[in-house]
Every structure is written in C-alpha cells, then in structure tokens.
Amino acid sequence: MSNSTKTCLLSLLIVLACNKPSSEVSQEAQDSKDVMAIKEARQISNLAILNRDSVGVASVMMDNFQIITSRDNETIGKDANREAFIEIFKTDAVYTRTPDRVEVMEAWGMASEYGTWVGNLTVDNEAIEIDGTYYAKWHKIDGKWLLRTEVFTPIHCKGGNYCNNRPINP
C-alpha cells in the first residue's frame, strides 16, 4: 500500500470519526464519564479495604447491598456488610478487585462491572492466596454510583488446608 493510499485511508477514518451524530458522541462521553466514576468508586473501595476502613468500604454501597462471597456466604444490607468487614479487618486479609469491563445503561442508571479479584490472608498460620472473577451491579443514585450487589467466584486457591475445604458440599 502506497503512502498516499495510507494517508487517504487515515483521512477517511478521521472524517468518519468526526462525523458521528452528536447523540452518539454525547452518549460515549457520558458512558466514559460514568465508567470513570465507577472505576473511581472501585478504587475507593479497594483503598478502604487496604486501610481497614469499614466506613469507606460501606460508602460505595446502597443500603440494600448484597454480596455472595467466594465461600458462598451471603450478606444483605449495607450495615451488615460493614459489620462483616469490621470482622475481616481483625485479620490480615486484603482483597483487591480489578475491573476488566464496565458497561453502562444510562437510561436506567445501572451498570455492570466484570473483573478479577485476589485475596491474601492467613488461616491457621498458613498464608493463603485465592483469586477469581467477580460481577458487580451498580446503580446511579442522586448522581453517585453505588454498589447494589457483588458476586465473587474463586478460580484458584493455594497455600494451605483452607483451599482444600470445600465451602458447599453437594
């Protein structure tokens, strides 16, 4: 392909990108703003866990927040989840969630977040590393993105007997 052909193709792509209908551009800009806000809220949550701040963790949850943990424990309610984190913070456990994809439905003020997580903790003097995937559902309430639910699925576990104890027996 000649340089002039490459230049023409690049110019055509630029023209096409610049001639998107304004509704598409504004929706993309809104999605981008919302996606960034959700990722920032996730950072706040991760930092709160690292800093053992149960109020900070709860600050990104709706009042009726619900979680299903990697060990299939289910906790419903912002206050109950804050209390659960107070107990977790009595240990050395640290959990980090990393978003891979966030999708927004602006019309309904909802979004989904898919990503990976890792947990590092000590159980019976054995260092455990567990990781997997997660899904989170967000709702935009009064202009702020808050978590409605999170579901964590373990994929790997290494380091001790904790990994050998299946949480649910058929």
Side-chain angles (χ1 to χ4, degrees):
M1 187 180 298
S2 70
N3 282 340
S4 62
T5 303
K6 288 179 186 176
T7 302
C8 286
L9 286 174
L10 181 58
S11 297
L12 178 62
L13 289 173
I14 291 170
V15 168
L16 290 173
C18 292
N19 285 327
K20 284 186 177 182
S22 61
S23 62
E24 284 183 40
V25 174
S26 63
Q27 185 60 50
E28 284 179 11
Q30 183 62 42
D31 284 352
S32 178
K33 181 180 173 186
D34 288 329
V35 167
M36 292 307 297
I38 289 167
K39 288 182 176 182
E40 287 172 18
R42 177 57 68 199
Q43 271 188 315
I44 289 168
S45 177
N46 280 337
L47 285 172
I49 291 171
L50 185 63
N51 291 323
R52 319 229 102 14
D53 175 10
S54 64
V55 173
V57 172
S59 73
V60 299
M61 295 176 184
M62 293 177 63
D63 289 340
N64 61 346
F65 173 76
Q66 179 178 1
I67 188 171
I68 299 175
T69 70
S70 63
R71 295 197 63 79
D72 259 2
N73 296 320
E74 185 175 354
T75 307
I76 299 172
K78 178 180 184 173
D79 293 337
N81 275 284
R82 189 172 88 55
E83 292 296 322
F85 270 102
I86 288 171
E87 291 304 310
I88 290 169
F89 294 157
K90 292 178 181 177
T91 71
D92 67 345
V94 175
Y95 299 97
T96 305
R97 289 75 42 89
T98 305
D100 292 329
R101 187 173 86 225
V102 175
E103 297 173 328
V104 176
M105 183 177 180
E106 180 60 29
W108 287 10
M110 292 185 199
S112 60
E113 174 190 356
Y114 305 89
T116 56
W117 63 276
V118 64
N120 293 285
L121 58 150
T122 302
V123 177
D124 298 328
N125 294 318
E126 296 176 311
I128 307 298
E129 182 175 296
I130 185 169
D131 64 54
T133 59
Y134 73 91
Y135 166 79
K137 182 178 181 183
W138 295 83
H139 286 242
K140 194 172 191 179
I141 310 291
D142 297 327
K144 182 179 178 181
W145 285 100
L146 297 172
L147 281 165
R148 172 61 180 94
T149 192
E150 291 180 311
V151 178
F152 294 90
T153 303
I155 304 298
H156 305 102
C157 188
K158 63 181 180 180
N161 286 328
Y162 176 88
C163 298
N164 299 326
N165 294 324
R166 185 176 177 169
I168 296 178
N169 292 311

